Structure formats: C-alpha cells, structure tokens
Amino acid sequence: MELAYIPSPSSGVLYLGPVPLRGYAFCIIIGVFVAVWLGNKRWVARGGRAGTVADIAVWAVPFGLIGGRLYHVITDYQLYFSEGRDWVDAFKIWEGGLGIWGAIAFGAVGAWIGCRRRGIALPVYADAIAPGIALAQAIGRWGNWFNQELYGRSTDLPWAVEITSSADGRVPGTYHPTFLYESLWCVGVALLVIWADHRFKLGHGRAFALYVAAYCAGRFWIEYMRVDEAHEILGLRLNNWTSILVFLLAVLYIVLSARKRPGREEEIEPGVSDGGAASPGEGDAADAGESSEGGSEGSSEGSEGADGSEGSEVSGGSEDSKDSKDSKDSKDSKDGAGSAKQG
C-alpha cells in the first residue's frame, strides 16, 4: 500500500480562458524566459549591453527546437514511421519529444549566426547563457510530468510518480520520477556553474563546457533508470553512449582551452565597456571636441577684448597728442607777440 506518491495531472492541457495551452509547451516557454533572463544578468555583469542575449536568442531558440525535435524523431523513428503509426505525429512537438543533444547542437548554430551578426564571439556568449540553459532544462522536464512520460522502474518510494494513463503501452502504477531527478540535477548543475565561474573566472567557453560535462554525468545514471523503449548498443541505451562521448569531449575542451587561453575575456561586446557605457575612446573624442569649441570661443572673446582695449588706447593717445599740440601752438603765439612788443 502506497502511503504517498506524486500524482500525475488528470490532463496535460492548461486553459488560459478559452485558449488551450499544453503543459509541455508551457514548461518549455517558461524555461526559455528564465534562461534569457539569467543570461542577460550575467552578460551585463560581464560588461555587455542589456538586450544582447535576447537578440541572439531569437536565432538560438528556434534552431534549438528544430534540432531537438529532429534528434528525437530520428532516434525514435519507430514511434512515427513504423506500421500503424502516423508520420504526421512527428510534427506534433507539443505532445512531447525533444532531444537535448539536438537542441544544444542546433541551438549553437543559431547562436553562432546571432553572434556573428553582432560581432560577438560564440564562446563568451555560451559562458553567459550556460546556467540559464540548465535551469531551462530543469523547468522543461516538468512537461514530461504533464505528459506522464520519462519515468523509471517501478517503486513504492514516497516520492514515486503515479502513472494513470495506459496509452502507448503504459502500465498504470507508481514509478521512479526520473523527470524529477533530472530536474533537480539540472538545478544543481546551474548552481555549480555559477559558483565555479565566480570562483575561477572561467572564460573562452569553459563555463559552458562545465555545464555540458556536469549534465552528462547526471544524465548517464538517470537514463540508466528509464524503462521506456529505446535503442541499445552493447547493453547500454543510445543516450548513455551519447552522454559518455559528450562528457569526454567537454572535459577535453576544458583542459586544452585552459592551457591555450588561460583567464577570461576582458571585452565581450565590441564598443561596450563598464556595463553598457561608451568606450573610453568615444568619451575622450567627445570631451576633446567640447574643449576645442570652448577654447575657440574663449580665444575669440579674448581677441575681441584685446582689440577693444587697443582701440581705446590709440584713441586716447590721439586725443592727448592733439591737446599737446594746441597748447604748444598757443604758447608759441604768445611768445611771438611778446617779442614783437619788446622790439
């Protein structure tokens, strides 16, 4: 007898008034907003301009959704193209089915396009957005709870999830909530990246690589618990092998990058410094222009003052000369008259 368990929602659709919104899509949307919000805060703290993260996300998010869906459809093609299946269902992304590996790969392509248009290096953008991606995954996994999917083996633990649907081969019962395990793991990954980035000043894509490596470590053991149908290679699920490969590549990148480019970037967005202020060169040019204008005005005023002063002195000098001459002429006339009288 189960004393406690996590009940599954009776419906995977939420209604905003008359507008239906599937819980899976709602979780994805909220996750995207959280990722952009946190990424923007980290970007501005590094000296970037507010809004840049959102501008690049306009490219990254659609690419990521397309890539995630393609990975899911290709690796689980039997769900859409086998006998008795409708291939049109491959386009119904709102019913669930996004592969994180394809989402990250295609999302990186979209981010590269957005970064290139802004003159920004992709690694520095990836470092800023990495913890936000982990939190977006943590929120997005709750979409699997709405769809009653991605659960593990049967269990009677108090935190087991109750599956009530019998569609697509499901057997009602209580199971390990692997969606919850991965959600909590992703929160831990986000906190780890934020701490490590603050402690070690990670740069040149190493914060993003840390996120990838940490996520893969958790995804391996969580994937191992799942019981849904999946392709296997040498006894391991395909996603387990993918986790191992991507984990090794991420660790290798961290090691080689730290040797080749230690430290972190000083400038992350061209023409911006100190959290969105103008570059020093631009401010100096403006100050120089103002100083030049002020100096010209001062010189002009000084010249006018000097000219006026000189004019006054010349005028005054002319008047004094005239008075002196008149006085001299008058004296000479008197002397001449006196001489004539004496003679």
Side-chain angles (χ1 to χ4, degrees):
M1 177 179 178
E2 298 90 0
L3 298 179
Y5 55 82
I6 302 173
S8 292
S10 57
S11 175
V13 182
L14 302 175
Y15 286 91
L16 301 178
V19 180
L21 177 62
R22 288 189 170 271
Y24 185 87
F26 181 74
C27 291
I28 295 297
I29 293 172
I30 296 299
V32 169
F33 274 102
V34 170
V36 172
W37 169 78
L38 180 57
N40 181 71
K41 288 180 65 68
R42 288 170 53 80
W43 185 260
V44 172
R46 285 285 306 274
R49 183 182 290 111
T52 297
V53 169
D55 292 342
I56 297 175
V58 170
W59 289 91
V61 172
F63 272 76
L65 292 175
I66 294 173
R69 188 60 175 178
L70 281 175
Y71 182 90
H72 169 73
V73 171
I74 292 173
T75 56
D76 290 308
Y77 62 86
Q78 72 281 357
L79 300 177
Y80 307 99
F81 302 105
S82 60
E83 186 177 355
R85 298 284 185 170
D86 186 358
W87 63 271
V88 177
D89 292 340
F91 297 94
K92 297 179 180 179
I93 191 173
W94 56 87
E95 293 184 355
L98 288 175
I100 185 61
W101 316 111
I104 294 297
F106 273 63
V109 173
W112 176 79
I113 295 174
C115 287
R116 187 175 178 83
R117 291 168 61 89
R118 301 293 294 266
I120 295 171
L122 178 61
V124 71
Y125 178 81
D127 283 343
I129 202 72
I133 295 177
L135 288 182
Q137 289 178 254
I139 297 171
R141 274 308 178 197
W142 283 89
N144 302 127
W145 175 64
F146 280 98
N147 288 349
Q148 297 196 34
E149 59 187 1
L150 301 189
Y151 47 87
R153 295 184 291 271
S154 178
T155 182
D156 58 358
L157 291 172
W159 57 83
V161 61
E162 181 189 32
I163 300 299
T164 59
S165 174
S166 57
D168 296 326
R170 296 185 183 91
V171 178
T174 55
Y175 300 87
H176 277 283
T178 53
F179 77 90
L180 175 60
Y181 298 159
E182 185 168 339
S183 178
L184 295 176
W185 182 268
C186 287
V187 172
V189 170
L191 296 176
L192 170 65
V193 174
I194 293 173
W195 171 82
D197 191 30
H198 178 73
R199 174 66 175 80
F200 302 106
K201 305 298 181 184
L202 302 177
H204 302 285
R206 289 189 288 275
F208 183 81
L210 176 61
Y211 145 72
V212 172
Y215 172 74
C216 288
R219 180 61 184 267
F220 181 86
W221 67 266
I222 294 171
E223 186 74 21
Y224 193 76
M225 296 179 64
R226 286 169 53 174
V227 295
D228 54 305
E229 184 180 356
H231 297 288
E232 294 187 358
I233 301 175
L234 300 178
L236 285 179
R237 295 163 66 96
L238 176 61
N239 282 331
N240 282 118
W241 287 109
T242 305
S243 297
I244 294 174
L245 176 61
V246 176
F247 173 83
L248 294 176
L249 291 175
V251 172
L252 180 62
Y253 179 87
I254 293 174
V255 174
L256 296 181
S257 175
R259 291 179 179 177
K260 186 176 181 181
R261 294 182 176 181
R264 71 193 320 184
E265 303 87 346
E266 294 183 359
E267 181 183 15
I268 66 173
E269 188 168 357
V272 180
S273 63
D274 297 332
S279 296
E282 297 174 357
D284 293 344
D287 293 340
E290 293 175 1
S291 176
S292 177
E293 292 176 3
S296 299
E297 293 175 1
S299 299
S300 177
E301 292 174 0
S303 298
E304 292 174 1
D307 293 342
S309 176
E310 290 175 1
S312 299
E313 292 176 1
V314 171
S315 178
S318 298
E319 292 176 357
D320 291 343
S321 297
K322 184 178 180 180
D323 292 342
S324 177
K325 184 178 180 182
D326 292 343
S327 177
K328 182 178 181 181
D329 291 343
S330 177
K331 181 179 181 182
D332 291 341
S333 297
K334 291 179 179 180
D335 291 342
S339 298
K341 185 177 181 181
Q342 290 174 3

